[in-house]
Amino acid sequence: MITHRPKIGLALGSGSARGWAHIGIIRTLEQAGIVPDIVCGTSIGALVGAAYADGQLDRLEQWVRGLKWQSVLGLLDLTIDGGLVHGDKLLDFFRTHFTDKDIEALPKTFGAVATELVTGREIWLREGSVTDAVRASIALPGLLKPAQLDGRLMVDGGLVNPVPVSLCRAMGADIVIAVDLNWDLMGRHNERAQGWRSLPAPGALESLVGKLPLGLGRLKSGPATSAAMPSIFDVLSISLHIMQVRITRSRLAGEPADLLIRPRLSNFALMDYHRAAAAITEGERAAEQAIPELRELVPVD
């Protein structure tokens, strides 16, 4: 029996550009008087969660709402060593525009999930540099070069724990509100089975990869002979979606949240970071739907 005020944990899931929906969800929860004590994130959830835990969500929202495709591409330093993107430009940007701190010094309790590349172990990042922890958690395999942290190579935490309910519980949360960004992705692909068309983001991603010196930009569907075949970027994107959906379902079945918020984001592709306004709005809508149930679970001050 819980006799103290229950600690509220917020588990922000992975989902690449769909993660801007986390901003709308957090805003709506706070407007309803539901303020998390513990914030845990995986991948893009770690990035948004870290900004929120440090009281910098306003600055992050202002930045992401102003993102254009040109500014997204400007942050990507191309490489073929471990991934398409090195990540130094992105890291330098955050260190310049957002104050880096030690995780233990944040106003809110925060943790992030990464995956150790060599062993496949799930790594909980609860101390050290916030920026380094986020960089490790968002290192999407094949796209962003693995991060080196304490002598180990780290990649995206979504490989092992896409919605970090377990980390929230371990850090002391009595009630966990979780956000699953990927639950409706496969329905979109089923609808597209007849006659493939390019997804919104891979078109721009093809443009990005076309700049590589090895001619990788030519690795896409031909105009006539493969009209019914998805492009290489569709295949990579959909494969990541399958992995995320399957792992999320398995982890949430064994480690259920007290309440699960599921925004509808199937029309967002992997690299749609320039569509922040639409993602934030959908996050607000999904959170508003959950408020009545939340009021039964969470005491409001």
Side-chain angles (χ1 to χ4, degrees), residues 168-190:
C168 266
R169 301 269 190 219
M171 296 181 73
D174 300 307
I175 296 170
V176 177
I177 303 165
V179 182
D180 178 6
L181 302 175
N182 304 313
W183 67 281
D184 63 341
L185 290 180
M186 298 317 300
R188 175 185 65 169
H189 302 316
N190 290 336

Side-chain angles (χ1 to χ4, degrees), residues 128-269:
S129 162
V130 172
T131 303
D132 288 346
V134 170
R135 171 63 178 85
S137 187
I138 66 172
L140 188 65
L143 181 63
L144 197 59
K145 184 177 179 178
Q148 295 194 42
L149 196 61
D150 298 328
R152 298 179 293 180
L153 290 177
M154 301 288 185
V155 292
D156 198 298
L159 293 176
V160 290
N161 194 354
V163 184
V165 174
S166 56
L167 179 54
C168 266
R169 301 269 190 219
M171 296 181 73
D174 300 307
I175 296 170
V176 177
I177 303 165
V179 182
D180 178 6
L181 302 175
N182 304 313
W183 67 281
D184 63 341
L185 290 180
M186 298 317 300
R188 175 185 65 169
H189 302 316
N190 290 336
E191 293 170 1
R192 289 166 49 81
Q194 299 297 323
W196 288 88
R197 300 184 304 275
S198 293
L199 294 174
L205 190 56
E206 287 177 3
S207 174
L208 168 67
V209 177
K211 299 176 183 178
L212 288 173
L214 297 182
L216 295 180
R218 294 192 297 270
L219 296 178
K220 54 187 178 184
S221 305
T225 58
S226 54
M229 183 67 66
S231 73
I232 185 173
F233 300 103
D234 286 338
V235 172
L236 290 173
S237 177
I238 294 167
S239 297
L240 286 171
H241 292 167
I242 293 170
M243 176 195 72
Q244 289 175 325
V245 170
R246 294 292 186 182
I247 296 172
T248 300
R249 288 176 182 172
S250 176
R251 291 299 299 254
L252 288 176
E255 302 157 351
D258 295 285
L259 186 133
L260 190 58
I261 298 176
R262 286 175 158 174
R264 294 186 175 276
L265 299 164
S266 64
N267 62 329
F268 281 77

Side-chain angles (χ1 to χ4, degrees), residues 25-35 287-288 290-292 294-295 298-301:
I25 290 168
I26 292 169
R27 296 290 192 206
T28 302
L29 293 178
E30 288 210 325
Q31 288 169 7
I34 300 166
V35 181
E288 285 169 0
I291 293 300
L294 274 171
R295 291 206 185 281
V298 180
V300 178
D301 295 332

Side-chain angles (χ1 to χ4, degrees), residues 81-99:
D81 183 17
L84 292 179
V85 179
H86 195 283
D88 284 349
K89 283 187 179 180
L90 187 63
L91 206 61
D92 290 343
F93 176 88
F94 279 104
R95 284 185 169 142
T96 301
H97 291 80
F98 298 92
T99 304

